[in-house]
Amino acid sequence: MMINPFEQDAFNMVSLTQAINILPNRYGRVGQLGLFTDKGVRTRTVLVEENNGVLNLLPTLPVGAPGTQNKMGKRTVRSFTIPHIPLDDTILPSEYEGIREFGSENQVKALAGVMNDHLQTARAKFDITLEYLRMGALKGVILDADGTTLYNLYTEFGIAPKTVDFALDPSPEVEVAAKCREVIRHIEDNLKGEVMTGVRCLCDSNFFDALVAYPTVK
């Protein structure tokens, strides 16, 4: 039992029947897919080395003629500065001195519990920040928390972005299957020697609802 602050009589008591802890959503779909591997470094700058291989058809030549000169691919090195994302925190005595423990009727909040709450909140903020940066990497443009661009991967690697407008408008009717094949073929043509077993698309709810409700989609 604990004192009821809503009654004038300070000796009146009220029972705590339930405690509700509202937690924010912790999005982590990109991390669950396992597309990114973590590797710790001890420097503020990392290098990405690219070896652009050359594959070309060899012509037929007369017997005894000199052969076609073999050409090797070029190596390219790109430098990236690791963003610094600090988070400072402060625990005040007013957070635990004489403060009732959450969900308890007769226990006082301990300093260790307050520290644990602060650490869990900080970790959740770092997790959602990492998820945000990874999603930006998948989209090709990595943004900071304020919306400014940290890295444009299209510019860094000299890649022209591909846009396929599905135009999910009932009039005129669009062949959605042809749009999907265009996306898949673009991925297949740009695998650069890699192989794939399927295509996974991450989209928002508005696009998905319009896609599955389209008349030509089965």
Side-chain angles (χ1 to χ4, degrees), residues 88-135:
D88 297 329
D89 202 351
T90 303
I91 298 178
L92 301 176
S94 58
E95 295 187 55
Y96 60 89
E97 284 187 354
I99 304 299
R100 180 179 54 82
E101 182 68 38
F102 179 79
S104 173
E105 295 182 350
N106 53 11
Q107 295 182 5
V108 179
K109 203 169 185 65
L111 176 59
V114 176
M115 293 177 60
N116 185 59
D117 293 341
H118 278 250
L119 289 174
Q120 287 184 347
T121 303
R123 178 177 179 179
K125 292 180 179 180
F126 277 112
D127 288 342
I128 194 64
T129 302
L130 183 58
E131 182 77 3
Y132 178 75
L133 295 176
R134 285 172 170 172
M135 176 57 73

Side-chain angles (χ1 to χ4, degrees), residues 135 139 168 201-212:
M135 176 57 73
K139 296 168 65 175
L168 298 177
C201 175
L202 300 178
C203 62
D204 61 11
S205 56
N206 294 331
F207 177 84
F208 182 79
D209 292 342
L211 178 67
V212 297

Side-chain angles (χ1 to χ4, degrees), residues 61-66:
L61 297 172
V63 177

Side-chain angles (χ1 to χ4, degrees), residues 39-76:
K39 181 179 180 181
V41 295
R42 294 179 293 177
T43 58
R44 295 295 307 277
T45 303
V46 294
L47 298 177
V48 177
E49 187 174 15
E50 176 185 357
N51 189 9
N52 190 10
V54 176
L55 187 63
N56 58 280
L57 298 177
L58 298 177
T60 59
L61 297 172
V63 177
T68 303
Q69 182 64 39
N70 189 22
K71 295 182 180 180
M72 301 299 295
K74 295 182 179 180
R75 295 171 57 182
T76 306

Side-chain angles (χ1 to χ4, degrees), residues 7-89:
E7 298 290 341
Q8 294 181 354
D9 188 357
F11 298 99
N12 195 10
M13 307 296 286
V14 64
S15 297
L16 179 65
T17 57
Q18 189 59 269
I20 301 176
N21 189 11
I22 301 178
L23 300 176
N25 291 331
R26 297 181 61 180
Y27 302 98
R29 182 55 179 159
V30 178
Q32 293 175 352
L33 294 176
L35 302 176
F36 297 86
T37 57
D38 298 330
K39 181 179 180 181
V41 295
R42 294 179 293 177
T43 58
R44 295 295 307 277
T45 303
V46 294
L47 298 177
V48 177
E49 187 174 15
E50 176 185 357
N51 189 9
N52 190 10
V54 176
L55 187 63
N56 58 280
L57 298 177
L58 298 177
T60 59
L61 297 172
V63 177
T68 303
Q69 182 64 39
N70 189 22
K71 295 182 180 180
M72 301 299 295
K74 295 182 179 180
R75 295 171 57 182
T76 306
V77 176
R78 295 178 176 88
S79 175
F80 295 91
T81 300
I82 301 176
H84 181 53
I85 307 177
L87 178 63
D88 297 329
D89 202 351

